[in-house]
Amino acid sequence: MSLGGVLDGLDLERVGRDMHDLMKDLFPMCRSITGDGFRETLATIEKRVPIDVHEVPTGTPAFDWTVPKEWNVREAYVANGRGERVIDLRRSSLHLVSYSTPVRRAMSLSDLRAHLHTLPERPDWIPYRTSYYEPEWGFCLSERQLSALDEAEYHVVVDSSLEDGSLTYGEYFLEGDTDEEVLISCHACHPSMANDNLSGVALVTFLAERIAEASPRYSYRFLFVPGTIGSITWLSMNEDVVPRIRHGLVAACVGDPGPLTYQRSQRGDADIDRAAAHVVGRRGGRVREFSPYGYDERQYNSPGFNLPVGCLSRTPHGEFAEYHTSADGLDFVRPDALADSLEAYLEVFTALEENGTFANLFPKGEPQLGRRGLYPSIGGKEADAEVLAMLWVLNQSDGNRTLLDIADRAGIDFRSIRRAASSLLAAGLLRAVLDSSST
Ligand code: ZN
């Protein structure tokens, strides 16, 4: 089956529910950039997609970086004089600053305060904080929780370990007809937050499943990596793969109800930029220029690689109030938005897979469509749209313009233009032109 066929058969309601269910399973896990929470996450994804799990030892150099020590935590809490846990990692994985060093001691509230993080302007929300590269410990809690604490002695326990171990990442390589590759990457290192980043993890998992149902022209490589250090490590270990990457997308924040947002690659005019801008524009979304700040597209677009990798999200990082807080919960992410994002991703890759260049074999006057069964004898709205798409393809197919060029010019969905070209090709009105520009 073609990718377009998979796209046509997508049951949006069901797939949105299933994506949300996967997020529910992943939500409680205490993830960080290394450690067992990340491994548990990959083990859950592996039930759906046959990913390879890679372990890269602590201390491995990765360009200007080094794979850090592995962090794991067994328990972390603050208990009052009566032994009641007033802050407890078991209630939310956000309660502990990620990569907190071990602690076990009694402290007054005033001393403890220096290690407590709240969001005074959002008194019910717990913030998300990390300290990957500075040895530090701390707890995150709601402002309301903090104001309920008495000035007294507290017992603080962070039973964590920072040891030589490894950085873990997941990779699924799906072989297509050619060895030209599409890279799809998501960060999977955040603890209990839904839009950033579990929506991206669910999207890449379900996208991989769907593309595996097709017989794609491109080979596809799906990465589940810890943010920044994970993509840098992957790049440093795969410099031989990099020249085969033709197109790529970074998936993040794809489950909120906001409109789609596409951020272009650094090049700005790569095929992925054209295809994604077309799809996102047709779906009422926004297209933005490249920025060197964001997710792992920063690494893929660094000047030493300059890969054609964009970022397709809904509301981007930092632009929704719930970002990096406990309010980015499972309720914030909607099954219909997840399904809509998945459909948009599939449309983008269908446009890349099925784009082509054709020449009209009857360029003098319009060829007679009715005689070839292409012009409906009884007019109707839908048929009119089909005929219009065929007329655009006939008019514009000069052997140079691609179907995506025509779709943009006509203001018609790529899928409709592709269908029109298939009908015209079958009727002998078009000739495929070998495309040498897609290298
Ligand atoms: Zn984030």
Side-chain angles (χ1 to χ4, degrees):
M1 201 192 322
S2 70
L3 199 52
V6 171
L7 178 59
D8 290 339
L10 199 63
D11 178 345
L12 288 175
E13 208 178 305
R14 187 171 160 193
V15 81
R17 252 194 339 261
D18 289 349
M19 289 168 81
H20 201 264
D21 284 347
L22 172 64
M23 292 176 54
K24 251 182 246 166
D25 292 343
L26 297 172
F27 194 78
M29 298 174 190
C30 186
R31 275 170 295 274
S32 187
I33 53 171
T34 63
D36 290 334
F38 201 98
R39 290 192 189 97
E40 202 185 337
T41 300
L42 294 184
T44 304
I45 295 166
E46 214 178 345
K47 289 178 193 159
R48 306 195 73 107
V49 176
I51 49 175
D52 294 320
V53 176
H54 298 262
E55 300 279 353
V56 186
T58 298
T60 304
F63 306 125
D64 200 41
W65 299 60
T66 306
V67 171
K69 291 200 159 150
E70 181 178 325
W71 183 72
N72 283 293
V73 58
R74 281 155 295 278
E75 60 176 353
Y77 60 87
V78 175
N80 63 19
R82 295 183 294 281
E84 295 159 352
R85 297 186 177 190
V86 293
I87 312 170
D88 192 348
L89 179 67
R90 282 183 299 196
R91 262 176 259 152
S92 166
S93 69
L94 291 177
H95 274 317
L96 183 66
V97 172
S98 195
Y99 259 69
S100 280
T101 51
V103 185
R104 191 176 288 271
R105 65 167 129 139
M107 289 177 93
S108 66
L109 180 60
S110 54
D111 288 344
L112 182 56
R113 270 179 198 279
H115 296 276
L116 299 182
H117 305 270
T118 65
L119 289 170
E121 67 279 14
R122 300 280 186 180
D124 292 311
W125 297 0
I126 307 166
Y128 165 53
R129 297 284 181 270
T130 66
S131 187
Y132 303 136
Y133 304 106
E134 282 297 318
E136 185 54 82
W137 64 270
F139 285 88
C140 302
L141 68 166
S142 71
E143 182 69 20
R144 230 176 274 288
Q145 249 181 308
L146 175 61
S147 55
L149 297 182
D150 306 325
E151 290 294 340
E153 279 266 296
Y154 289 89
H155 187 58
V156 179
V157 172
V158 177
D159 183 7
S160 65
S161 58
L162 268 164
E163 290 163 349
D164 284 352
S166 56
L167 175 151
T168 313
Y169 69 85
E171 181 171 26
Y172 171 46
F173 179 70
L174 178 67
E175 200 176 338
D177 293 340
T178 72
D179 63 1
E180 297 184 331
E181 291 192 15
V182 176
L183 179 74
I184 298 157
S185 176
C186 66
H187 64 292
C189 52
H190 287 20
S192 306
M193 286 174 294
N195 204 32
D196 180 23
N197 57 196
L198 288 180
S199 67
V201 173
L203 184 132
V204 175
T205 304
F206 278 73
L207 185 65
E209 269 189 319
R210 294 303 164 292
I211 295 179
E213 289 169 15
S215 320
R217 178 157 72 92
Y218 290 110
S219 296
Y220 285 77
R221 194 178 291 272
F222 303 89
L223 295 181
F224 300 87
V225 292
T228 307
I229 186 67
S231 50
I232 290 174
T233 301
W234 183 86
L235 282 165
S236 75
M237 297 175 68
N238 288 278
E239 288 203 72
D240 57 325
V241 171
V242 166
R244 297 203 291 272
I245 297 173
R246 293 287 175 273
H247 319 287
L249 284 179
V250 166
C253 301
V254 289
D256 66 275
L260 289 163
T261 307
Y262 177 67
Q263 182 194 278
R264 292 181 184 275
S265 70
Q266 189 282 133
R267 302 174 181 195
D269 60 350
D271 289 348
I272 186 71
D273 298 316
R274 305 253 350 252
H278 172 79
V279 169
V280 168
R282 296 287 310 165
R283 299 174 76 94
R286 309 168 287 191
V287 178
R288 295 185 179 177
E289 292 311 312
F290 173 76
S291 157
Y293 184 68
Y295 295 112
D296 289 312
E297 70 278 5
R298 291 158 69 162
Q299 315 311 330
Y300 304 126
N301 282 276
S302 60
F305 295 108
N306 199 20
L307 288 170
V309 175
C311 181
L312 180 49
S313 53
R314 303 192 77 86
T315 306
H317 59 89
E319 295 181 26
F320 51 98
E322 296 83 355
Y323 174 72
H324 279 187
T325 76
S326 58
D328 182 3
L330 289 166
D331 294 346
F332 180 61
V333 164
R334 298 201 330 212
D336 61 332
L338 289 165
D340 184 73
S341 299
L342 180 68
E343 190 180 47
Y345 269 77
L346 282 169
E347 271 191 32
V348 171
F349 295 122
T350 298
L352 292 170
E353 288 270 333
E354 300 181 7
N355 198 14
T357 309
F358 298 88
N360 179 350
L361 295 172
F362 294 82
K364 293 179 176 169
E366 279 177 10
Q368 257 196 324
L369 296 180
R371 181 151 63 79
R372 296 173 171 90
L374 296 174
Y375 208 94
S377 50
I378 300 168
K381 198 162 181 261
E382 210 178 344
D384 287 346
E386 277 175 37
V387 169
L388 184 62
M390 282 191 274
L391 294 178
W392 270 109
V393 173
L394 285 169
N395 182 275
Q396 296 286 300
S397 288
D398 60 355
N400 291 310
R401 297 188 186 99
T402 67
L403 293 181
L404 193 54
D405 293 332
I406 299 170
D408 272 336
R409 172 101 189 252
I412 295 175
D413 281 342
F414 175 83
R415 288 158 82 183
S416 305
I417 291 292
R418 173 70 233 191
R419 237 177 266 131
S422 299
S423 301
L424 295 168
L425 199 60
L429 297 176
L430 288 184
R431 167 175 69 81
V433 174
L434 276 181
D435 185 9
S436 59
S437 69
S438 69
T439 46

